[in-house]
Amino acid sequence: MIPTIKISLVVLGVLCSVATVLPLLPLRDWWIRAFDFPRLQLAIMLGLILALLGGCALYSGVRRTWVAAGVALILVASLGYQVKQIVQYTALVSPQAERATREGAEQITLIVANVLIDNRDASRLLTKLRAEQPDLLLAVETDTWWREQLAVLDADYPYRVLRPLDNTYGIALYSRLELIDPQVRYLIEDDVPSIETRVALPSGAQIQLYCLHPRPPTPFENLASTERDAELLVVGAAAKRSPLAVIVAGDMNDVAWSSTTRRFQRISGLLDPRIGRGIYATYHAKFPLMRWPLDHVFFSEELRLVEMRRLGRFGSDHFPILITLSHEPGEREGHEEVPSADLEDRVEAREVIEDARDKHDPDSPK
């Protein structure tokens, strides 16, 4: 029985190690990029496998062979790599984005909610909105039904950008604050909208806001991550060029620790409030063992974190996320090192964007 258990554990451990290595390949195929997501789950599995193999060795007697040593080394190295990726999203490292320090500074509160197009109970989300009273609501997967249900917000949120769609990529932005020059843009795919606008604070200061929900790489949609990656990088480059404080928010269908999201951060120079604080997994709301952070808010160094919370379930497969930021343009010092791009990042970003645009619009300007 013990040899059978050991063989089964070794096979499972090797599969977990393969799943650890696959995302390191410079390929965009959906089945490779899928292994970017379950790093925490893989780390837990690898830890359990090593513990159980150790228990089996103690029970049946330790046999030191090159094969056993090689397997143990592979599993330990895989576990170490996964832990290295995850540990940044714990209190064991310094936060990348600093807490607010200036009393009386203007604040802005945003809720990001993927409503799930098949969710036909809007009351639970509306209850949360009444309790939290955010300045802005970004809702994605909104169709005509959701537009009708959220119409009760119109009186309190006079500034709106609405693009309901039946393809799960509808998007809606509701704001108490004035929106200046709001635009719905189709950055890569002609059926996947995003929103670009400036938000006017009561003092007259403005914040540049980008709202995204790119299509993920799956066997049922895009077979590669090219379109998703390109949309993130296009917005990252625009954020870097903006002279204003910047917020980028949305369901980005990517995890915080993926190579694409990290390149997006370096290209944009934006901060991730999760680093040094927690994972804040927002998907899947109904399966606790399979959760990862897909809904994000990144922001520039002129902004500081007041509060970030994952709110409770409301019938969607995503949890909403709430963030309050303080606008402190004279307090740039204090953040951990702001991400910056090198030549390799810029070249790779340009290649990804060109590949995506060639695929969807071969005549588009490069």
Side-chain angles (χ1 to χ4, degrees):
M1 176 64 94
I2 293 297
T4 302
I5 293 175
K6 289 168 73 173
I7 291 172
S8 299
L9 290 172
V10 167
V11 170
L12 185 57
V14 170
L15 290 175
C16 288
S17 296
V18 171
T20 298
V21 171
L22 280 175
L24 299 178
L25 299 175
L27 301 174
R28 302 177 202 148
D29 304 80
W30 71 267
W31 61 274
I32 291 178
R33 299 276 56 93
F35 292 106
D36 281 326
F37 291 68
R39 293 206 181 278
L40 178 60
Q41 290 80 1
L42 287 170
I44 292 171
M45 288 181 66
L46 285 162
L48 288 174
I49 290 167
L50 280 166
L52 291 171
L53 284 173
C56 289
L58 290 173
Y59 181 81
S60 61
V62 179
R63 297 179 182 178
R64 297 179 180 175
T65 66
W66 287 108
V67 173
V71 169
L73 182 61
I74 290 171
L75 297 184
V76 169
S78 298
L79 175 59
Y81 179 79
Q82 297 289 16
V83 169
K84 182 182 177 182
Q85 305 306 305
I86 297 298
V87 74
Q88 294 186 70
Y89 304 92
T90 71
L92 297 176
V93 302
S94 299
Q96 186 178 75
E98 285 297 317
R99 288 281 183 183
T101 57
R102 185 188 301 172
E103 291 186 10
E106 290 184 292
Q107 296 182 358
I108 183 170
T109 297
L110 166 68
I111 287 179
V112 178
N114 182 318
V115 300
L116 182 62
I117 196 169
D118 294 327
N119 174 20
R120 289 316 191 215
D121 179 9
S123 63
R124 295 167 67 183
L125 176 60
L126 291 169
T127 297
K128 293 183 185 302
L129 295 173
R130 284 191 289 269
E132 301 294 347
Q133 293 293 306
D135 299 303
L136 297 101
L137 166 68
L138 171 61
V140 299
E141 287 200 30
T142 50
D143 59 2
T144 302
W145 185 90
W146 271 98
R147 166 60 193 130
E148 293 170 352
Q149 301 305 305
L150 297 179
V152 297
L153 299 174
D154 289 359
D156 292 328
Y157 294 85
Y159 303 98
R160 299 176 294 278
V161 185
L162 309 175
R163 189 55 57 94
L165 292 171
D166 294 328
N167 65 353
T168 74
Y169 294 99
I171 192 167
L173 179 64
Y174 295 81
S175 179
R176 298 178 189 273
L177 303 172
E178 181 184 0
L179 301 180
I180 300 172
D181 192 23
Q183 300 177 44
V184 175
R185 302 187 64 197
Y186 295 85
L187 298 173
I188 301 296
E189 299 181 85
D190 60 11
D191 60 346
V192 179
S194 63
I195 294 172
E196 177 181 338
T197 186
R198 300 195 304 276
V199 181
L201 300 177
S203 67
Q206 297 179 16
I207 294 174
Q208 184 71 54
L209 175 64
Y210 299 93
C211 304
L212 307 177
H213 183 211
R215 181 174 276 125
T218 74
F220 311 107
E221 297 191 79
N222 290 337
L223 295 179
S225 67
T226 306
E227 289 85 354
R228 179 201 65 187
D229 300 352
E231 184 163 339
L232 292 177
L233 294 170
V234 166
V235 170
K240 185 67 174 179
R241 294 191 299 267
S242 175
L244 303 175
V246 175
I247 298 173
V248 176
D251 171 5
M252 299 183 190
N253 277 314
D254 199 12
V255 285
W257 46 75
S258 78
S259 58
T260 296
T261 298
R262 287 178 172 175
R263 179 168 285 118
F264 159 80
Q265 273 200 270
R266 294 192 296 270
I267 292 290
S268 66
L270 301 183
L271 305 171
D272 183 356
R274 283 182 164 96
I275 293 177
R277 293 188 172 90
I279 291 178
Y280 296 90
T282 57
Y283 176 92
H284 195 291
K286 298 176 182 178
F287 300 107
L289 297 180
M290 297 299 291
R291 285 183 181 165
W292 31 76
L294 296 188
D295 303 271
H296 302 274
V297 180
F298 298 97
F299 52 88
S300 60
E301 56 187 330
E302 299 92 341
L303 299 163
R304 289 183 175 241
L305 182 67
V306 176
E307 178 186 25
M308 182 175 182
R309 283 186 285 130
R310 188 186 74 180
L311 304 181
R313 291 171 56 181
F314 66 99
S316 173
D317 52 355
H318 287 244
F319 293 98
I321 196 141
L322 176 148
I323 191 166
T324 299
L325 299 172
S326 174
H327 186 232
E328 303 180 18
E331 301 290 341
R332 294 191 176 198
E333 294 79 11
H335 293 296
E336 282 294 296
E337 185 177 353
V338 176
S340 61
D342 58 19
L343 179 60
E344 181 182 355
D345 286 321
R346 290 189 287 271
V347 169
E348 177 65 21
R350 182 177 179 83
E351 289 178 356
V352 172
I353 293 168
E354 288 182 353
D355 287 349
R357 287 179 170 165
D358 284 344
K359 182 177 178 181
H360 291 274
D361 185 3
D363 298 323
S364 64
K366 302 301 185 287

